[in-house]
Amino acid sequence: MKNRALALYTALGLGYAFLYLPIVLLVIYSFNASRLVTVWGGFSIKWYGELLNDEKILDAAWLSLKVAVINATISTFLGTLAAVVLVRFRRFTGRTLFTGMITAPLVMPEIITGLAMLLLFVSMELAFGWPDGRSVTTIVIAHVTFSLSFVTVVVQSRLAQMDISLEEAAMDLGARPVKVFLVITLPIIAPALLAGWLLSFTLSIDDVVISSFVTGPGSTTLPIVIFSKVRLGVSPEINALASIVVAIVSVGILVFGILMQRQEADRLRSERTAADQG
Amino acid sequence: MAPRAAGRRHPRVLLRRWGRTLVGLPPYAWLMLFFLVPFLIVLKISFSETQAAVPPFVPLVSWAEDAVLQIRLNFGNYRYLITDELYVDAYLNSLKIAGVSTLFCLLIGYPMAYAIARAPRTLRNPLLMLVVLPFWTSFLIRVYAWMGILKNEGLLNTFLLWSGLIDQPLQMLETDFAVYVGIIYSYLPFMVLPLYATLEKMDLSLLEAAADLGCRPFRAFLRVTLPLSVPGMIAGSMLVFIPAVGEFVIPDLLGGPDTLMIGKVLWSEFFDNRDWPVASAVAVAMLILLVAPIMIFQHYQNKSAEAENR
C-alpha cells in the first residue's frame, strides 16, 4: 500500500516537473546577459529594456489586449445565452444542430477554422462588400466564434448545478423571467461568467493560427509577431517577453484560483448542510 | 429516462416563447453564420478551380450570359489529393503522430489524474490547478520553450554532454521526436482534466466491496477502476487526438523540413502557393477523417452535460 502511494506521487511529481521545467528554464534564461541563448553569461535585465523600446512589439501587445477584451466580453454574453438555452430549454427545434455547433469548435483544428473564417469573409466581401478587407473586426469575429463554446461549457456546468427552486420561488412571488434571471440566476452563476471571460481572453490573446488567416495589414497581433520572430530561432528578447507573459498570467490565475477555491468551499459547505437536512 | 422526469419540475413557462427566441437567437445565429456557413463555403471552394486573381478561385455558381445558372463542379482538387503521394503520406503521418502522442498523454496523464483524484480532498483543487496553469500561459511560448531545450547547443544536449552520457550533440530539434514531445507537452492538461473528472466521481465503495471479496488491489484496479474510467479516457483522448491531427504550430517550430503533417501542408498551400481551392480540399479531407472522432467526442460531452443536468 505504501509503495503504491509512493509510486503514484512520484508519477505526479515527474508529471509536474515535465509541465513546469521548460517554463522555469525559459524564465531563468531571460535574465541571461549573453546573446547566445543557452550559454550563461551572467545576470542581466537588458533584454527587458530592449523589449520596452521595441515599438512593434508594444503596438502588437496593445492591439492583442484590445482584441482579447472585446472578444471576451462578446463571447461571455453569447456563451452565457447559449448555456441558458442548453440547460433551461429542454426541447426546441434544431437542438442537435445547436449542441453540435457548440461542441465542435472545442476540438476543431485551428487551421480548419482559420481557413473557413477567411473564406467566409472573402465571400461576404464579394457578395455584400462587407467586411471591407481584413481588420481588427474580422479577428474579433473569428475569435468570438471559437471562444464562445468554451464559455458555454463553463457556464453550462454551473447553471446545471444551480438550485432551480430559487428561481421557482422568485417566480411564485411574481417576479418576471428577466428579473429572475438578473436578480437570482446571474449572481449565482457570476463566478462561471468570470471564469469564461478569463478563458476566452486567454484563448484570444494566445491565438496565432486563426489570427494569421483573418488578419489584415495594420492589424498584427502579439502572437503573430512572436511567431514570425520565433520561426527564425531562439532569441533573448522573446525569452524576456515570454517571461513577462508567464508572470502576468500566473499572478492572474493565482488570484482567480484562490477566489474560486473559496467559492467551491462555500458550495461544498452548503451542499453538506442541504444533505444533512435530508 | 429519469432526467426527463426531473426536468418536469421546471417552472412550466420560464420565459414566454418570444422571450426564449430572443435569448436563443443571438448565439444560434452567430454560430450558423460564422461556424456552419464557413464550412459550406470551404466545401464549395474545394470544388472550384484555381485562378491567378483576387480571390484566387473561380466562382462555383455564376450566371452565364443567357441567364442560365451554371454550376461547375471540379473534382480535380480531390483527384490531385489522392494521386499525389505527398498528401496521402501527410495524412497518414498526422494520424500516426497524433495517435502515438495521444497514447503517451494517456500513459503520463492517467497516473497523474489518479493520484490527484485519490489525494486528500483539500489538496485536489490546488493540485488540479497546477495541471491547468501551464495551459493558461501562452501555447506559443510553451512550444517555444522546447526550442531552447532541444536544439543542438541547447540545454538538454549541454546537460547530456556534461554528464558524459553522449559525446556528440544529438539532433533533437527539427525531428519527429521534437514534434512528439511538443504535442504531448501541450496537450497533457486536456487529458488529465476529463480523466480526473471520472476518477473523482467514482464510487469508492466498489473498491471496498472488491477488497472484501478478496480481490487484490491491483486486480481491483484492473477490473473496477479502469473500466469505470473509460469515458474519461475516451473524452481525454479525443481532446488530444483531434486538434493534434491538424496541429500546425508544433510541427512548424519543432519539426524538421521532412516532418510531414497535414496542417503544415494546408498552411503552405494557402500562404505559400496561394492555392485556395487545394487548401480547401485538404481541409475537407481532414474533416472527413475527423468526423468519427468528433462525433465520439460530442457523444461523451453531451452525456457528461446531461449527467450534470440531473
Side-chain angles (χ1 to χ4, degrees):
Chain A
M1 203 55 209
K2 268 262 144 57
N3 280 340
R4 272 183 57 212
L6 192 67
L8 221 49
Y9 283 112
T10 313
L12 194 58
L14 287 175
Y16 286 132
F18 177 56
L19 286 176
Y20 283 95
L21 217 51
I23 300 175
V24 171
L25 289 172
L26 186 78
V27 174
I28 292 174
Y29 273 83
S30 72
F31 294 107
N32 186 359
S34 163
R35 181 160 265 287
L36 295 168
V37 179
T38 45
V39 180
W40 187 255
F43 180 87
S44 156
I45 53 166
K46 66 173 170 188
W47 305 117
Y48 288 88
E50 264 184 36
L51 204 62
L52 290 177
N53 291 322
D54 193 330
E55 284 282 321
K56 209 175 150 197
I57 286 187
L58 292 182
D59 286 350
W62 177 236
L63 181 80
S64 278
L65 210 60
K66 275 193 290 191
V67 169
V69 168
I70 302 171
N71 160 63
T73 309
I74 302 177
S75 302
T76 306
F77 176 70
L78 289 175
T80 305
L81 290 184
V84 170
V85 169
L86 285 178
V87 178
R88 294 286 190 259
F89 310 165
R90 298 252 155 186
R91 267 178 238 127
F92 57 91
T93 34
R95 190 186 161 102
T96 317
L97 177 66
F98 192 63
T99 49
M101 290 194 300
I102 291 288
T103 43
L106 298 174
V107 287
M108 188 61 67
E110 290 172 311
I111 199 145
I112 298 184
T113 315
L115 177 72
M117 293 303 299
L118 174 74
L119 294 180
L120 172 80
F121 292 140
V122 171
S123 306
M124 278 171 74
E125 197 181 346
L126 279 180
F128 323 111
W130 185 91
D132 190 14
R134 262 88 68 202
S135 61
V136 176
T137 317
T138 50
I139 299 183
V140 169
I141 292 176
H143 283 190
V144 169
T145 305
F146 73 85
S147 3
L148 102 89
S149 299
F150 288 86
V151 178
T152 306
V153 171
V154 174
V155 177
Q156 188 184 12
S157 104
R158 181 82 188 186
L159 209 52
Q161 287 167 355
M162 188 191 142
D163 188 356
I164 190 92
S165 57
L166 293 172
E167 281 180 9
E168 288 170 339
M171 300 267 247
D172 289 347
L173 295 171
R176 310 273 301 263
V178 174
K179 189 165 184 187
V180 172
F181 183 79
L182 292 178
V183 177
I184 308 288
T185 317
L186 208 54
I188 294 178
I189 62 170
L193 259 58
L194 183 59
W197 194 92
L198 285 171
L199 187 56
S200 41
F201 178 89
T202 316
L203 289 168
S204 164
I205 210 157
D206 193 25
D207 171 70
V208 59
V209 175
I210 294 171
S211 302
S212 298
F213 277 96
V214 296
T215 189
S219 49
T220 314
T221 61
L222 188 60
I224 295 178
V225 175
I226 297 181
F227 186 58
S228 62
K229 279 183 186 281
V230 160
R231 281 180 114 178
L232 304 174
V234 181
S235 89
E237 290 97 343
I238 297 296
N239 281 355
L241 182 59
S243 307
I244 295 175
V245 173
V246 169
I248 294 173
V249 170
S250 312
V251 171
I253 295 305
L254 225 59
V255 170
F256 179 71
I258 292 167
L259 284 176
M260 285 305 268
Q261 182 87 16
R262 245 185 242 159
Q263 275 277 342
E264 181 71 9
D266 281 354
R267 199 177 62 83
L268 282 177
R269 204 173 313 129
S270 62
E271 252 175 30
R272 225 168 294 147
T273 23
D276 288 346
Q277 284 161 358
Chain B
M1 282 209 302
R4 277 280 148 71
R8 288 197 196 281
R9 283 189 50 242
H10 253 260
R12 243 175 325 193
V13 193
L14 188 63
L15 291 166
R16 266 162 288 178
R17 188 166 276 275
W18 62 265
R20 284 181 157 219
T21 316
L22 216 60
V23 171
L25 197 62
Y28 212 136
W30 184 286
L31 286 170
M32 287 285 260
L33 180 59
F34 295 121
F35 190 73
L36 195 63
V37 172
F39 284 107
L40 300 178
I41 294 176
V42 172
L43 190 65
K44 185 195 105 170
I45 291 175
S46 74
F47 286 113
S48 144
E49 278 167 54
T50 313
Q51 69 177 17
V54 179
F57 56 86
V58 177
L60 193 66
V61 183
S62 59
W63 293 97
E65 275 179 15
D66 48 356
V68 175
L69 188 65
Q70 258 193 346
I71 300 180
R72 310 185 218 196
L73 271 189
N74 169 22
F75 287 91
N77 301 321
Y78 288 97
R79 202 177 318 122
Y80 184 48
L81 287 193
I82 300 169
T83 47
D84 194 324
E85 255 172 50
L86 169 81
Y87 297 101
V88 179
D89 286 353
Y91 277 114
L92 294 179
N93 210 36
S94 298
L95 290 179
K96 187 188 101 187
I97 290 181
V100 172
S101 306
T102 306
L103 192 66
F104 273 96
C105 277
L106 195 58
L107 291 177
I108 301 171
Y110 199 99
M112 290 182 78
Y114 190 87
I116 298 172
R118 298 290 173 266
R121 191 172 265 279
T122 47
L123 275 181
R124 283 180 209 164
N125 271 326
L127 286 175
L128 201 62
M129 275 291 294
L130 278 176
V131 174
V132 185
L133 193 63
F135 161 74
W136 289 79
T137 66
S138 165
F139 165 76
L140 191 55
I141 286 171
R142 280 181 298 141
V143 176
Y144 166 73
W146 281 100
M147 289 174 73
I149 296 172
L150 295 176
K151 38 181 228 167
N152 280 357
E153 61 280 22
L155 296 167
L156 191 54
N157 267 320
T158 314
F159 173 75
L160 289 174
L161 286 169
W162 170 81
S163 66
L165 284 170
I166 53 169
D167 41 31
Q168 282 279 322
L170 292 172
Q171 167 80 33
M172 285 182 285
L173 193 62
E174 306 198 347
T175 63
D176 283 6
F177 168 75
V179 177
Y180 283 117
V181 171
I183 293 180
I184 296 166
Y185 179 69
S186 307
Y187 288 97
L188 185 59
F190 294 105
M191 181 63 89
V192 175
L193 284 180
L195 275 176
Y196 167 80
T198 43
L199 285 169
E200 203 251 357
K201 263 186 292 188
M202 208 187 106
D203 187 356
L204 289 179
S205 60
L206 293 172
L207 289 178
E208 281 166 30
D212 288 348
L213 297 170
C215 189
R216 305 274 298 270
F218 185 65
R219 207 174 142 76
F221 172 79
L222 285 184
R223 309 265 319 234
V224 180
T225 310
L226 207 56
L228 282 174
S229 58
V230 166
M233 284 160 74
I234 292 178
S237 300
M238 294 304 127
L239 272 173
V240 176
F241 180 78
I242 301 167
V245 169
E247 187 53 57
F248 163 71
V249 172
I250 296 172
D252 189 66
L253 291 182
L254 301 179
D258 25 275
T259 304
L260 260 186
M261 280 193 80
I262 201 63
K264 253 177 89 176
V265 172
L266 198 162
W267 180 280
S268 70
E269 283 300 348
F270 187 85
F271 285 102
D272 306 335
N273 303 347
R274 286 191 62 78
D275 194 336
W276 294 15
V278 168
S280 303
V282 171
V284 172
M286 197 194 309
L287 264 182
I288 291 171
L289 228 54
L290 292 178
V291 161
I294 290 175
M295 302 276 269
I296 296 171
F297 171 71
Q298 294 202 326
H299 177 75
Y300 280 95
Q301 183 73 23
N302 292 343
K303 251 192 12 195
S304 73
E306 257 170 43
E308 272 176 356
N309 275 359
R310 221 168 297 174

